[in-house]
Amino acid sequence: VSPNADQTTCEFWEAIVGASRLVGNGFALKRRNAGFLAALEITEPMRTEPYRDENRRLKYRGTDQNGERFDVFSEDMFHVKGFSFGGDRGLSVVEYGAQQLSTQIAANKTAGLIFKTGLGTSGFIETKTILDDPERKKLEKIFARFQGTESTEKLMLLEGDMKFTRTSMSAADAQLLLQIQFGIEEIARWLDMPPILLMHSANGVTHWGTGVEAIVRAWYQLGLRAQLTRLEKAIQKRLFEPKDQARFFVKFNIDALLRGDAAAQAALFSAALQNGWMTRNEIRRLLDLPKSTEPGADELTVQVNMAFLKDLGSQSQQTAQTARAALLQLLGLDVDPKSG
């Protein structure tokens, strides 16, 4: 409910998961009270260093949020590692994807400069005569009036034998827009997630709901599940005491992520009730509805209108006899229903 005095659970997990996914490691110091775990305080991942002491015991040192130095054993540090090859630290996506990230930053900066200058291009003016300093300064002042976004619709007159020669590539020549789009896909690949989740649709990828649903389900099976499992095991090993690890387990409930539309939910829950593997209250809990107090709401139910083919005759005869006995009783006739 409250991992520490400053953060909510959402803020805490965003910081831990964000650090582990981007820089490879998320750290939180364990604060204890009377020997029991009382709080988890986030530490700066770039200022926290795992190392081995002379006895090969894993320890952590760094600076906490108050600027105080710490040097603790692994029992007092909650560490969520990203993908690694078995070392004490996870691998940083930012470090290994720096080239692609810097290319994307440069592309965005270049696009900003192009739009800032009114989609203009740089170049030089050719003349057949040599200009002196006063003429050069005068010409530079004229050119300055035609630079920037406010001058995009103005026309500049080149006098005499002046000729403009462009020296920079246009946005189309540099394929700048394609580079920006491809950069988004590359970043999504580094983060192991579909571009559609970054509000970007790659070429050839459908925008329809069923296609997106299939992509999200595939991402859950091949990408998100591995990340959640890594986090579950880290909580199980590094937050539970050894005596509690055999009694409790950690599992993320992501049924809401995989839950389909209303028609699909109705079909699923109907099958669950009719085949006896969910109760009504279990279904209501998944739908965030209050618990029903009606009798039988916590009991498993199955359909009773299905029977074996060999039993159809006997069941029909029993049903007829039961109906005949009920009718005679209703009429007040004391007749044995088994008699002719």
Side-chain angles (χ1 to χ4, degrees):
V1 177
S2 180
N4 53 59
D6 301 320
Q7 292 179 308
T8 64
T9 52
C10 182
E11 295 168 345
F12 174 82
W13 288 116
E14 282 179 345
I16 286 289
V17 175
S20 64
R21 294 288 292 144
L22 292 179
V23 300
N25 300 275
F27 300 102
L29 276 173
K30 297 180 183 179
R31 302 299 188 184
R32 302 180 186 275
N33 185 9
F36 294 96
L37 181 62
L40 293 169
E41 294 183 1
I42 297 289
T43 64
E44 175 62 43
M46 303 303 294
R47 296 182 180 178
T48 303
E49 178 189 4
Y51 72 99
R52 299 280 177 168
D53 62 8
E54 62 275 6
N55 297 321
R56 298 298 301 163
R57 291 192 61 183
L58 179 60
K59 299 185 68 175
Y60 295 85
R61 59 191 174 195
T63 306
D64 62 14
Q65 295 179 340
N66 298 323
E68 300 179 358
R69 298 286 300 174
F70 63 83
D71 191 347
V72 299
F73 288 102
S74 59
E75 292 82 359
D76 294 319
M77 177 65 72
F78 177 49
H79 182 193
V80 178
K81 291 191 292 185
F83 176 80
S84 70
F85 295 111
D88 295 331
R89 296 185 65 93
L91 301 181
S92 172
V93 172
V94 175
E95 180 180 354
Y96 285 88
Q99 181 63 43
Q100 178 59 43
L101 295 175
S102 62
T103 301
Q104 185 71 5
I105 293 174
N108 291 332
K109 183 180 294 186
T110 302
L113 291 175
I114 291 177
F115 283 97
K116 182 179 180 180
T117 58
L119 302 179
T121 58
S122 61
F124 55 86
I125 300 295
E126 297 183 52
T127 63
K128 295 182 179 179
T129 60
I130 299 177
L131 303 179
D132 55 17
D133 290 341
E135 291 175 335
R136 289 174 180 272
K137 293 180 180 180
K138 181 179 179 181
L139 195 59
E140 290 175 356
K141 291 181 179 180
I142 295 176
F143 291 158
R145 297 202 303 266
F146 294 90
Q147 297 175 354
T149 56
E150 297 179 356
S151 305
T152 54
E153 298 181 356
K154 295 181 180 179
L155 297 177
M156 182 175 62
L157 178 64
L158 298 179
E159 301 180 2
D161 54 0
M162 293 182 179
K163 180 182 178 182
F164 174 75
T165 302
R166 189 177 67 182
T167 59
S168 63
M169 293 186 296
S170 64
D173 294 335
Q175 295 184 333
L176 183 60
L177 298 180
L178 292 178
Q179 173 60 41
I180 293 177
Q181 293 179 357
F182 180 72
I184 297 175
E185 298 171 19
E186 282 292 292
I187 292 174
R189 188 175 292 113
W190 276 106
L191 296 177
D192 193 20
M193 62 189 304
I196 194 69
L197 297 182
L198 298 179
M199 307 304 172
H200 172 79
S201 179
N203 292 331
V205 177
T206 177
H207 291 267
W208 295 99
T210 54
V212 174
E213 181 182 0
I215 292 175
V216 171
R217 288 182 178 274
W219 172 62
Y220 161 70
Q221 296 175 354
L222 302 177
L224 182 61
R225 177 180 289 182
Q227 300 175 28
L228 295 179
T229 300
R230 182 182 297 114
L231 192 56
E232 289 170 352
K233 299 305 180 183
I235 297 173
Q236 183 84 23
K237 180 177 179 60
R238 302 187 179 111
L239 283 187
F240 286 170
E241 297 295 336
K243 61 183 178 63
D244 295 328
Q245 292 179 4
R247 301 173 54 206
F248 303 102
F249 68 94
V250 180
K251 183 176 179 58
F252 284 96
N253 186 0
I254 58 172
D255 290 337
L257 178 65
L258 302 179
R259 192 178 299 169
D261 55 17
Q265 290 186 52
L268 172 66
F269 295 148
S270 177
L273 283 175
Q274 294 175 7
N275 292 280
W277 51 275
M278 289 188 73
T279 67
R280 287 173 169 77
N281 274 334
E282 288 174 342
I283 294 176
R284 294 177 66 86
R285 184 166 60 249
L286 291 178
L287 296 175
D288 296 328
L289 295 175
K291 182 178 180 180
S292 174
T293 57
E294 293 295 326
D298 291 310
E299 299 291 335
L300 294 175
T301 58
V302 295
Q303 281 187 326
V304 295
N305 58 349
M306 299 181 68
F308 294 107
L309 185 62
K310 63 180 181 179
D311 297 333
L312 288 180
S314 60
Q315 288 187 0
S316 300
Q317 185 178 4
Q318 292 176 1
T319 302
Q321 291 177 352
T322 302
R324 184 170 180 269
L327 180 61
L328 292 175
Q329 184 178 5
L330 178 65
L331 295 176
L333 301 177
D334 187 14
V335 180
D336 186 3
K338 294 184 180 180
S339 63

